[in-house]
Amino acid sequence: MSQTPITVTYPLEEVLKELKQDIKDINTKLDKLNTIEVEIAKLSEKVIGMDKRLEKVEGEQATMVKAISDLQGFRSLIVPIVVAVSTALLTLVFRLVPNLP
């Protein structure tokens, strides 16, 4: 079973031009791909930086929440302290004032 060979009648110059154009197109696409990879790498670095800053902010937020919580606890002690100091001062004043007839 023998097959007859296919005969192509394109000029070699035209075939080479098409191949050359295809190679240029592939190179252009590779250049674009490289550019995209570089941009992705830059974005990745930015995301990592933002992640680190976010972790820092979250840590500072936790510290601030604790400080506010501590202040709220202290605020609840202010009234008893004021009452105690006022009572002590009034007691001193009444003891220093001579007994009135």
Coordinates of all heavy atoms in Angstrom, one line a residue:
M1 N 0.8 -1.2 0.0 CA 0.0 0.0 0.0 C 0.9 1.2 0.0 O 1.3 1.7 1.0 CB -0.8 0.0 1.3 CG -2.3 0.1 0.9 SD -3.2 -0.3 2.4 CE -4.0 1.1 2.6
S2 N 1.0 1.8 -1.1 CA 1.8 2.9 -1.2 C 1.0 4.1 -1.5 O 0.0 4.1 -2.2 CB 2.9 2.6 -2.3 OG 2.9 3.6 -3.2
Q3 N 1.3 5.2 -0.8 CA 0.6 6.5 -1.0 C 1.4 7.4 -1.8 O 2.6 7.4 -1.7 CB 0.3 7.1 0.4 CG -0.6 6.3 1.2 CD -0.9 7.0 2.6 OE1 -0.3 7.9 2.9 NE2 -1.9 6.4 3.3
T4 N 0.7 8.2 -2.6 CA 1.4 9.1 -3.4 C 1.8 10.4 -2.5 O 1.0 10.8 -1.7 CB 0.6 9.6 -4.6 OG1 -0.7 10.0 -4.1 CG2 0.5 8.5 -5.6
P5 N 3.0 10.9 -2.6 CA 3.3 12.0 -1.8 C 2.5 13.3 -2.2 O 2.1 13.4 -3.3 CB 4.8 12.2 -2.2 CG 5.1 11.4 -3.4 CD 4.0 10.4 -3.5
I6 N 2.3 14.1 -1.2 CA 1.6 15.3 -1.4 C 2.5 16.4 -2.0 O 3.6 16.6 -1.4 CB 0.9 15.8 -0.1 CG1 0.0 14.8 0.4 CG2 0.2 17.1 -0.3 CD1 -0.6 15.1 1.7
T7 N 2.1 17.0 -3.0 CA 2.9 18.1 -3.6 C 2.4 19.4 -3.2 O 1.2 19.7 -3.3 CB 2.9 18.0 -5.1 OG1 3.3 16.7 -5.5 CG2 3.8 19.0 -5.7
V8 N 3.3 20.3 -2.6 CA 2.9 21.6 -2.2 C 3.6 22.6 -3.2 O 4.8 22.5 -3.4 CB 3.3 21.9 -0.7 CG1 3.0 23.3 -0.3 CG2 2.7 20.9 0.2
T9 N 2.8 23.5 -3.6 CA 3.4 24.4 -4.6 C 3.6 25.9 -4.1 O 3.5 26.8 -4.8 CB 2.5 24.5 -5.9 OG1 1.2 24.9 -5.5 CG2 2.4 23.1 -6.5
Y10 N 3.8 26.0 -2.8 CA 4.1 27.3 -2.2 C 5.5 27.7 -2.4 O 6.4 26.9 -2.3 CB 3.8 27.4 -0.7 CG 2.3 27.2 -0.4 CD1 1.8 26.0 0.2 CD2 1.4 28.2 -0.6 CE1 0.5 25.8 0.5 CE2 0.0 28.0 -0.3 CZ -0.4 26.8 0.2 OH -1.7 26.7 0.5
P11 N 5.8 29.0 -2.7 CA 7.2 29.4 -2.9 C 7.8 29.3 -1.5 O 7.2 29.6 -0.5 CB 7.1 30.8 -3.4 CG 5.7 31.0 -3.7 CD 4.9 30.0 -3.1
L12 N 9.1 29.0 -1.4 CA 9.8 28.9 -0.2 C 9.9 30.2 0.5 O 9.8 30.3 1.7 CB 11.2 28.3 -0.5 CG 12.1 28.1 0.7 CD1 11.5 27.1 1.7 CD2 13.5 27.6 0.3
E13 N 10.0 31.3 -0.2 CA 10.1 32.6 0.3 C 8.9 33.0 1.1 O 8.9 33.5 2.2 CB 10.3 33.6 -0.8 CG 10.5 35.1 -0.3 CD 10.8 36.0 -1.4 OE1 11.0 35.6 -2.6 OE2 10.7 37.2 -1.2
E14 N 7.7 32.6 0.6 CA 6.4 32.9 1.3 C 6.3 32.1 2.6 O 5.9 32.6 3.6 CB 5.3 32.6 0.3 CG 3.9 33.0 0.9 CD 2.8 32.7 -0.1 OE1 3.0 32.9 -1.3 OE2 1.8 32.2 0.3
V15 N 6.7 30.8 2.5 CA 6.6 30.0 3.7 C 7.6 30.5 4.8 O 7.2 30.6 6.0 CB 7.0 28.5 3.3 CG1 7.1 27.6 4.6 CG2 6.0 27.9 2.3
L16 N 8.8 30.9 4.4 CA 9.7 31.4 5.3 C 9.2 32.7 6.0 O 9.4 33.0 7.2 CB 11.1 31.6 4.7 CG 11.8 30.3 4.3 CD1 13.1 30.7 3.6 CD2 12.1 29.5 5.5
K17 N 8.6 33.6 5.1 CA 8.0 34.9 5.7 C 6.9 34.6 6.7 O 6.9 35.2 7.8 CB 7.4 35.7 4.5 CG 8.4 36.5 3.7 CD 7.7 37.3 2.7 CE 8.7 38.1 1.8 NZ 8.0 38.9 0.8
E18 N 6.1 33.6 6.4 CA 5.0 33.2 7.4 C 5.6 32.7 8.7 O 5.2 33.0 9.8 CB 4.1 32.2 6.8 CG 3.2 32.8 5.7 CD 2.2 31.8 5.2 OE1 1.8 30.9 5.9 OE2 1.8 31.9 4.0
L19 N 6.7 31.8 8.5 CA 7.3 31.3 9.7 C 8.0 32.4 10.5 O 7.9 32.4 11.8 CB 8.4 30.3 9.3 CG 7.8 28.9 8.9 CD1 9.0 28.0 8.3 CD2 7.1 28.2 10.0
K20 N 8.6 33.3 9.8 CA 9.3 34.5 10.5 C 8.2 35.3 11.2 O 8.5 35.7 12.4 CB 10.0 35.3 9.5 CG 10.9 36.4 10.1 CD 11.7 37.1 9.0 CE 12.6 38.1 9.5 NZ 13.4 38.8 8.5
Q21 N 7.1 35.5 10.6 CA 6.0 36.3 11.2 C 5.5 35.6 12.5 O 5.2 36.2 13.5 CB 4.9 36.6 10.2 CG 3.8 37.5 10.8 CD 4.4 38.9 11.3 OE1 5.2 39.5 10.6 NE2 4.0 39.3 12.4
D22 N 5.3 34.3 12.3 CA 4.8 33.5 13.5 C 5.8 33.5 14.6 O 5.4 33.7 15.8 CB 4.6 32.0 13.0 CG 3.4 31.9 12.1 OD1 2.5 32.8 12.1 OD2 3.2 30.8 11.5
I23 N 7.1 33.5 14.3 CA 8.1 33.6 15.4 C 8.0 35.0 16.1 O 8.1 35.1 17.3 CB 9.5 33.3 14.8 CG1 9.6 31.8 14.4 CG2 10.6 33.7 15.8 CD1 10.8 31.4 13.7
K24 N 7.8 36.0 15.3 CA 7.7 37.4 15.8 C 6.5 37.4 16.7 O 6.6 38.0 17.8 CB 7.6 38.4 14.7 CG 8.9 38.8 14.1 CD 8.7 39.9 13.0 CE 10.0 40.2 12.3 NZ 9.8 41.3 11.3
D25 N 5.4 36.9 16.3 CA 4.2 36.9 17.1 C 4.4 36.1 18.4 O 3.9 36.6 19.5 CB 3.0 36.2 16.3 CG 2.6 37.1 15.1 OD1 2.9 38.3 15.1 OD2 1.8 36.5 14.3
I26 N 5.1 35.0 18.3 CA 5.3 34.2 19.6 C 6.2 35.0 20.5 O 6.0 35.1 21.7 CB 6.0 32.9 19.2 CG1 4.9 32.0 18.5 CG2 6.6 32.2 20.4 CD1 5.5 30.7 18.0
N27 N 7.2 35.7 19.9 CA 8.1 36.5 20.8 C 7.4 37.7 21.4 O 7.6 38.0 22.6 CB 9.3 37.0 19.9 CG 10.4 36.0 19.7 OD1 10.5 35.1 20.5 ND2 11.1 36.1 18.6
T28 N 6.5 38.3 20.7 CA 5.7 39.4 21.2 C 4.8 38.9 22.4 O 4.8 39.5 23.5 CB 4.8 40.0 20.2 OG1 5.6 40.5 19.1 CG2 3.9 41.1 20.7
K29 N 4.2 37.7 22.2 CA 3.4 37.1 23.3 C 4.2 36.7 24.5 O 3.8 36.9 25.6 CB 2.6 35.9 22.7 CG 1.5 36.3 21.8 CD 0.8 35.1 21.2 CE -0.2 35.5 20.2 NZ -0.9 34.4 19.6
L30 N 5.4 36.2 24.3 CA 6.3 35.9 25.4 C 6.8 37.2 26.1 O 6.8 37.1 27.4 CB 7.6 35.2 24.9 CG 7.3 33.7 24.5 CD1 8.6 33.1 23.8 CD2 6.9 32.9 25.7
D31 N 7.0 38.2 25.4 CA 7.4 39.5 26.0 C 6.2 40.0 26.9 O 6.4 40.4 28.1 CB 7.7 40.6 25.0 CG 9.1 40.3 24.3 OD1 9.9 39.5 24.9 OD2 9.3 40.9 23.3
K32 N 5.0 39.9 26.4 CA 3.8 40.3 27.2 C 3.7 39.4 28.4 O 3.4 39.9 29.5 CB 2.6 40.2 26.3 CG 2.5 41.3 25.3 CD 1.2 41.2 24.5 CE 1.1 42.3 23.4 NZ -0.1 42.2 22.6
L33 N 3.9 38.1 28.2 CA 3.8 37.2 29.3 C 4.9 37.5 30.4 O 4.6 37.5 31.6 CB 4.0 35.8 28.8 CG 3.9 34.7 29.9 CD1 2.5 34.7 30.5 CD2 4.2 33.3 29.3
N34 N 6.1 37.8 30.0 CA 7.1 38.2 30.9 C 6.8 39.5 31.7 O 7.0 39.6 32.9 CB 8.5 38.4 30.2 CG 9.1 37.1 29.8 OD1 8.8 36.1 30.4 ND2 9.9 37.1 28.8
T35 N 6.2 40.5 31.0 CA 5.7 41.7 31.6 C 4.7 41.4 32.6 O 4.7 42.0 33.7 CB 5.2 42.7 30.5 OG1 6.2 42.9 29.6 CG2 4.8 44.0 31.1
I36 N 3.7 40.6 32.3 CA 2.7 40.2 33.2 C 3.3 39.5 34.4 O 2.9 39.8 35.6 CB 1.6 39.3 32.5 CG1 0.9 40.1 31.5 CG2 0.7 38.7 33.5 CD1 0.0 39.3 30.6
E37 N 4.2 38.6 34.2 CA 4.9 37.9 35.4 C 5.6 38.9 36.3 O 5.5 38.8 37.5 CB 5.9 36.9 34.9 CG 5.2 35.7 34.3 CD 6.2 34.7 33.7 OE1 7.4 35.0 33.5 OE2 5.8 33.6 33.4
V38 N 6.2 39.9 35.7 CA 6.9 41.0 36.5 C 5.8 41.7 37.3 O 6.0 42.0 38.5 CB 7.7 41.9 35.6 CG1 8.2 43.1 36.4 CG2 8.9 41.1 35.1
E39 N 4.7 42.1 36.7 CA 3.7 42.8 37.4 C 3.1 42.0 38.5 O 2.8 42.5 39.6 CB 2.6 43.3 36.4 CG 3.1 44.3 35.4 CD 3.5 45.6 36.1 OE1 2.9 46.1 37.0 OE2 4.6 46.2 35.7
I40 N 2.9 40.7 38.3 CA 2.3 39.9 39.3 C 3.3 39.8 40.5 O 2.9 39.8 41.6 CB 2.1 38.5 38.7 CG1 0.8 38.5 37.8 CG2 1.8 37.4 39.8 CD1 0.6 37.2 37.0
A41 N 4.6 39.7 40.2 CA 5.6 39.7 41.3 C 5.5 40.9 42.1 O 5.6 40.9 43.3 CB 7.0 39.5 40.7
K42 N 5.4 42.1 41.4 CA 5.3 43.4 42.1 C 4.1 43.4 43.0 O 4.1 43.8 44.1 CB 5.3 44.5 41.1 CG 6.6 44.8 40.5 CD 6.5 46.0 39.5 CE 7.8 46.2 38.7 NZ 7.7 47.3 37.7
L43 N 2.9 43.0 42.4 CA 1.7 42.9 43.2 C 1.8 42.0 44.4 O 1.3 42.3 45.5 CB 0.5 42.5 42.3 CG 0.0 43.5 41.3 CD1 -1.0 42.9 40.4 CD2 -0.6 44.7 42.0
S44 N 2.5 40.9 44.2 CA 2.7 40.0 45.3 C 3.5 40.6 46.4 O 3.1 40.5 47.6 CB 3.4 38.7 44.8 OG 3.6 37.8 45.8
E45 N 4.5 41.3 46.1 CA 5.3 42.0 47.1 C 4.4 43.1 47.8 O 4.5 43.2 49.0 CB 6.5 42.7 46.4 CG 7.6 41.8 46.0 CD 8.7 42.5 45.3 OE1 8.9 43.7 45.4 OE2 9.5 41.8 44.6
K46 N 3.6 43.8 47.1 CA 2.7 44.8 47.7 C 1.7 44.1 48.6 O 1.5 44.6 49.7 CB 2.0 45.6 46.6 CG 2.8 46.6 45.9 CD 2.0 47.4 44.9 CE 2.9 48.3 44.1 NZ 2.2 49.1 43.2
V47 N 1.2 43.0 48.2 CA 0.2 42.3 49.1 C 0.9 41.8 50.4 O 0.3 41.9 51.4 CB -0.4 41.1 48.3 CG1 -1.2 40.2 49.2 CG2 -1.3 41.6 47.2
I48 N 2.1 41.3 50.2 CA 2.9 40.9 51.4 C 3.1 42.0 52.3 O 2.9 41.9 53.6 CB 4.2 40.2 51.0 CG1 3.9 38.8 50.3 CG2 5.1 40.0 52.2 CD1 5.1 38.2 49.7
G49 N 3.5 43.2 51.8 CA 3.7 44.4 52.6 C 2.4 44.8 53.3 O 2.4 45.2 54.5
M50 N 1.3 44.8 52.5 CA 0.0 45.2 53.1 C -0.4 44.2 54.2 O -0.9 44.6 55.3 CB -1.1 45.2 52.1 CG -0.9 46.4 51.1 SD -2.3 46.7 49.9 CE -2.9 45.1 49.5
D51 N -0.1 42.9 54.0 CA -0.4 41.9 55.0 C 0.4 42.2 56.3 O -0.2 42.1 57.4 CB -0.1 40.5 54.5 CG -0.6 39.4 55.4 OD1 -1.7 39.5 55.9 OD2 0.1 38.4 55.6
K52 N 1.7 42.5 56.2 CA 2.5 42.8 57.4 C 1.9 44.1 58.1 O 1.9 44.1 59.3 CB 3.9 43.1 57.0 CG 4.6 41.8 56.6 CD 6.1 42.0 56.1 CE 6.7 40.8 55.7 NZ 8.1 41.0 55.2
R53 N 1.6 45.1 57.3 CA 1.0 46.3 57.9 C -0.3 46.0 58.6 O -0.6 46.5 59.7 CB 0.8 47.4 56.9 CG 2.1 48.0 56.4 CD 1.9 49.2 55.5 NE 1.1 48.8 54.4 CZ 1.3 49.1 53.1 NH1 2.3 49.9 52.8 NH2 0.5 48.7 52.2
L54 N -1.1 45.2 58.0 CA -2.4 44.8 58.6 C -2.2 44.1 59.9 O -2.9 44.3 60.9 CB -3.2 43.9 57.7 CG -4.6 43.5 58.2 CD1 -5.5 44.7 58.5 CD2 -5.2 42.6 57.1
E55 N -1.2 43.2 60.0 CA -0.9 42.5 61.2 C -0.5 43.4 62.3 O -0.9 43.3 63.4 CB 0.2 41.4 61.0 CG -0.2 40.2 60.2 CD 0.9 39.3 59.9 OE1 2.0 39.4 60.4 OE2 0.7 38.3 59.1
K56 N 0.3 44.4 61.9 CA 0.8 45.5 62.9 C -0.4 46.2 63.4 O -0.5 46.5 64.6 CB 1.8 46.4 62.2 CG 2.3 47.4 63.1 CD 3.3 48.3 62.4 CE 3.8 49.4 63.3 NZ 4.7 50.3 62.7
V57 N -1.3 46.6 62.5 CA -2.5 47.4 62.9 C -3.4 46.6 63.8 O -3.9 47.1 64.8 CB -3.3 47.9 61.6 CG1 -4.7 48.4 62.0 CG2 -2.5 49.0 60.9
E58 N -3.5 45.3 63.5 CA -4.4 44.4 64.3 C -3.7 44.3 65.7 O -4.5 44.3 66.7 CB -4.5 43.0 63.7 CG -5.5 43.0 62.5 CD -5.5 41.7 61.7 OE1 -4.5 40.9 61.9 OE2 -6.4 41.5 61.0
G59 N -2.4 44.2 65.8 CA -1.7 44.2 67.1 C -2.0 45.4 67.9 O -2.2 45.4 69.1
E60 N -1.8 46.6 67.2 CA -2.1 47.9 67.9 C -3.5 48.0 68.3 O -3.8 48.5 69.4 CB -1.6 49.0 66.9 CG -0.1 49.1 66.7 CD 0.3 50.1 65.7 OE1 -0.6 50.8 65.2 OE2 1.5 50.3 65.5
Q61 N -4.4 47.5 67.5 CA -5.8 47.6 67.8 C -6.1 46.7 69.1 O -6.8 47.2 70.0 CB -6.7 47.0 66.7 CG -8.2 47.0 67.0 CD -9.0 46.3 65.9 OE1 -8.4 45.6 65.1 NE2 -10.3 46.5 65.9
A62 N -5.5 45.6 69.2 CA -5.7 44.7 70.4 C -5.2 45.4 71.6 O -5.8 45.4 72.7 CB -5.0 43.4 70.2
T63 N -4.0 46.1 71.5 CA -3.4 46.9 72.6 C -4.4 48.0 73.0 O -4.6 48.2 74.2 CB -2.1 47.4 72.2 OG1 -1.2 46.3 71.8 CG2 -1.4 48.2 73.3
M64 N -4.9 48.7 72.0 CA -5.8 49.8 72.3 C -7.1 49.3 73.0 O -7.6 49.9 73.9 CB -6.1 50.6 71.0 CG -4.9 51.4 70.5 SD -5.3 52.1 68.9 CE -6.2 53.5 69.5
V65 N -7.6 48.2 72.5 CA -8.9 47.7 73.1 C -8.6 47.3 74.6 O -9.4 47.6 75.4 CB -9.3 46.4 72.3 CG1 -10.4 45.6 73.1 CG2 -9.9 46.9 71.0
K66 N -7.4 46.7 74.8 CA -7.1 46.4 76.2 C -6.9 47.6 77.1 O -7.4 47.7 78.2 CB -5.8 45.6 76.2 CG -5.4 45.0 77.6 CD -4.2 44.3 77.6 CE -3.8 43.8 79.0 NZ -3.9 44.7 80.1
A67 N -6.3 48.7 76.5 CA -6.1 49.9 77.3 C -7.5 50.5 77.6 O -7.7 51.0 78.7 CB -5.2 50.9 76.5
I68 N -8.4 50.5 76.6 CA -9.7 51.1 76.8 C -10.5 50.3 77.8 O -11.1 50.8 78.7 CB -10.5 51.2 75.5 CG1 -9.9 52.2 74.6 CG2 -12.0 51.4 75.7 CD1 -10.4 52.2 73.1
S69 N -10.3 49.0 77.8 CA -11.0 48.1 78.8 C -10.4 48.4 80.2 O -11.2 48.5 81.1 CB -10.7 46.7 78.4 OG -11.1 45.8 79.4
D70 N -9.1 48.6 80.3 CA -8.5 49.0 81.6 C -9.0 50.3 82.0 O -9.3 50.5 83.2 CB -7.0 49.0 81.5 CG -6.4 47.6 81.2 OD1 -7.2 46.6 81.4 OD2 -5.2 47.5 80.9
L71 N -9.2 51.3 81.1 CA -9.7 52.6 81.5 C -11.1 52.5 82.0 O -11.5 53.2 82.9 CB -9.5 53.6 80.4 CG -8.1 54.1 80.1 CD1 -8.1 54.9 78.8 CD2 -7.6 54.8 81.2
Q72 N -11.9 51.7 81.3 CA -13.3 51.5 81.7 C -13.4 50.9 83.1 O -14.2 51.3 83.9 CB -14.1 50.7 80.7 CG -14.3 51.4 79.4 CD -15.0 50.5 78.4 OE1 -14.9 49.3 78.4 NE2 -15.6 51.1 77.4
G73 N -12.5 50.0 83.4 CA -12.4 49.4 84.7 C -12.0 50.4 85.8 O -12.6 50.5 86.9
F74 N -11.1 51.3 85.4 CA -10.6 52.3 86.3 C -11.8 53.3 86.5 O -11.9 53.8 87.6 CB -9.4 53.1 85.7 CG -8.9 54.2 86.6 CD1 -8.3 53.9 87.8 CD2 -9.1 55.5 86.2 CE1 -7.8 55.0 88.6 CE2 -8.7 56.5 87.0 CZ -8.0 56.3 88.2
R75 N -12.5 53.6 85.5 CA -13.6 54.6 85.6 C -14.6 54.1 86.6 O -15.2 54.9 87.4 CB -14.3 54.8 84.3 CG -15.4 55.8 84.3 CD -16.1 56.0 82.9 NE -16.8 54.8 82.7 CZ -17.4 54.5 81.5 NH1 -17.3 55.3 80.5 NH2 -18.1 53.4 81.4
S76 N -14.9 52.8 86.7 CA -15.8 52.3 87.7 C -15.3 52.5 89.1 O -16.1 52.4 90.1 CB -16.2 50.9 87.4 OG -15.0 50.0 87.6
L77 N -14.0 52.7 89.3 CA -13.4 52.9 90.6 C -13.4 54.4 91.0 O -13.2 54.7 92.2 CB -12.0 52.4 90.6 CG -11.8 50.9 90.5 CD1 -10.3 50.5 90.4 CD2 -12.5 50.1 91.6
I78 N -13.6 55.3 90.1 CA -13.5 56.7 90.4 C -14.6 57.1 91.4 O -14.3 57.8 92.4 CB -13.6 57.5 89.1 CG1 -12.4 57.3 88.3 CG2 -13.8 59.0 89.4 CD1 -12.4 58.0 86.9
V79 N -15.8 56.7 91.2 CA -16.9 57.1 92.1 C -16.6 56.6 93.5 O -16.7 57.4 94.5 CB -18.3 56.6 91.6 CG1 -19.4 56.8 92.6 CG2 -18.6 57.2 90.2
P80 N -16.3 55.4 93.8 CA -16.0 55.0 95.2 C -14.8 55.8 95.8 O -14.9 56.1 96.9 CB -15.7 53.5 95.1 CG -16.3 53.1 93.8 CD -16.3 54.2 92.9
I81 N -13.8 56.1 94.9 CA -12.7 56.8 95.4 C -13.1 58.2 95.8 O -12.7 58.8 96.9 CB -11.5 56.8 94.4 CG1 -10.9 55.4 94.3 CG2 -10.5 57.9 94.8 CD1 -9.9 55.3 93.1
V82 N -13.9 58.9 95.0 CA -14.4 60.3 95.3 C -15.2 60.3 96.5 O -15.1 61.1 97.4 CB -15.2 60.8 94.0 CG1 -15.9 62.1 94.4 CG2 -14.2 61.1 92.9
V83 N -16.1 59.3 96.7 CA -16.9 59.2 97.9 C -16.0 59.0 99.1 O -16.3 59.6 100.1 CB -17.9 58.0 97.7 CG1 -18.7 57.8 99.1 CG2 -19.0 58.4 96.7
A84 N -15.1 58.1 99.0 CA -14.2 57.9 100.2 C -13.4 59.1 100.6 O -13.3 59.4 101.7 CB -13.2 56.7 99.8
V85 N -12.8 59.8 99.6 CA -12.1 61.0 99.8 C -13.0 62.1 100.4 O -12.6 62.8 101.4 CB -11.3 61.5 98.6 CG1 -10.7 62.9 98.8 CG2 -10.2 60.5 98.2
S86 N -14.2 62.2 99.8 CA -15.1 63.3 100.3 C -15.5 63.0 101.8 O -15.5 63.9 102.6 CB -16.4 63.3 99.5 OG -16.0 63.6 98.1
T87 N -15.8 61.7 102.1 CA -16.1 61.3 103.4 C -15.0 61.6 104.4 O -15.2 62.1 105.5 CB -16.5 59.8 103.5 OG1 -17.5 59.6 102.5 CG2 -17.0 59.4 104.8
A88 N -13.8 61.3 104.0 CA -12.6 61.5 104.9 C -12.4 63.0 105.1 O -12.2 63.4 106.3 CB -11.4 60.9 104.2
L89 N -12.6 63.8 104.1 CA -12.4 65.3 104.2 C -13.5 65.8 105.2 O -13.3 66.7 106.0 CB -12.5 66.0 102.9 CG -11.2 65.8 102.0 CD1 -11.4 66.4 100.7 CD2 -10.0 66.4 102.7
L90 N -14.8 65.4 104.9 CA -15.9 65.9 105.8 C -15.7 65.4 107.3 O -15.9 66.2 108.2 CB -17.2 65.3 105.3 CG -17.7 66.0 104.0 CD1 -19.0 65.3 103.5 CD2 -18.0 67.5 104.3
T91 N -15.2 64.2 107.4 CA -14.9 63.8 108.8 C -13.8 64.7 109.4 O -14.0 65.0 110.6 CB -14.4 62.3 108.8 OG1 -15.4 61.5 108.2 CG2 -14.2 61.8 110.2
L92 N -12.8 65.0 108.7 CA -11.7 65.9 109.3 C -12.3 67.2 109.6 O -11.9 67.8 110.6 CB -10.6 66.0 108.3 CG -9.6 64.8 108.2 CD1 -8.6 65.0 107.1 CD2 -8.9 64.6 109.5
V93 N -13.1 67.8 108.7 CA -13.6 69.1 108.9 C -14.5 69.1 110.2 O -14.4 70.0 111.0 CB -14.5 69.6 107.7 CG1 -15.3 70.8 108.0 CG2 -13.5 69.9 106.5
F94 N -15.4 68.1 110.3 CA -16.2 68.1 111.5 C -15.4 67.9 112.8 O -15.8 68.4 113.8 CB -17.3 66.9 111.4 CG -18.4 67.3 110.4 CD1 -18.7 66.4 109.4 CD2 -19.1 68.5 110.5 CE1 -19.7 66.7 108.5 CE2 -20.1 68.8 109.6 CZ -20.4 67.9 108.6
R95 N -14.3 67.2 112.7 CA -13.5 67.0 113.9 C -12.7 68.2 114.3 O -12.4 68.4 115.4 CB -12.6 65.8 113.7 CG -13.3 64.5 113.7 CD -12.3 63.3 113.7 NE -13.1 62.1 113.7 CZ -12.5 60.9 113.6 NH1 -11.2 60.8 113.5 NH2 -13.2 59.8 113.7
L96 N -12.4 69.0 113.2 CA -11.6 70.2 113.5 C -12.5 71.4 114.0 O -12.0 72.3 114.7 CB -10.9 70.7 112.2 CG -9.7 69.8 111.8 CD1 -9.2 70.3 110.5 CD2 -8.6 69.7 112.8
V97 N -13.7 71.4 113.6 CA -14.6 72.4 114.0 C -15.0 72.1 115.5 O -15.4 71.0 115.8 CB -15.9 72.4 113.2 CG1 -16.9 73.4 113.7 CG2 -15.5 72.7 111.7
P98 N -14.8 73.2 116.3 CA -15.2 72.9 117.7 C -16.7 72.6 117.9 O -17.5 73.1 117.1 CB -14.8 74.2 118.5 CG -14.5 75.2 117.4 CD -14.4 74.5 116.1
N99 N -17.0 71.9 118.9 CA -18.4 71.6 119.2 C -19.1 72.9 119.5 O -18.7 73.7 120.3 CB -18.5 70.6 120.4 CG -18.0 69.3 120.0 OD1 -17.9 68.9 118.9 ND2 -17.6 68.5 121.0
L100 N -20.2 73.0 118.8 CA -21.1 74.2 119.0 C -22.1 73.9 120.1 O -22.6 72.8 120.2 CB -21.8 74.6 117.7 CG -20.9 75.0 116.5 CD1 -21.7 75.2 115.3 CD2 -20.1 76.2 116.8
P101 N -22.3 75.0 120.9 CA -23.3 74.8 122.1 C -24.7 74.6 121.6 O -25.2 74.7 120.6 CB -23.2 76.0 122.9 CG -22.3 77.0 122.2 CD -21.8 76.3 121.0

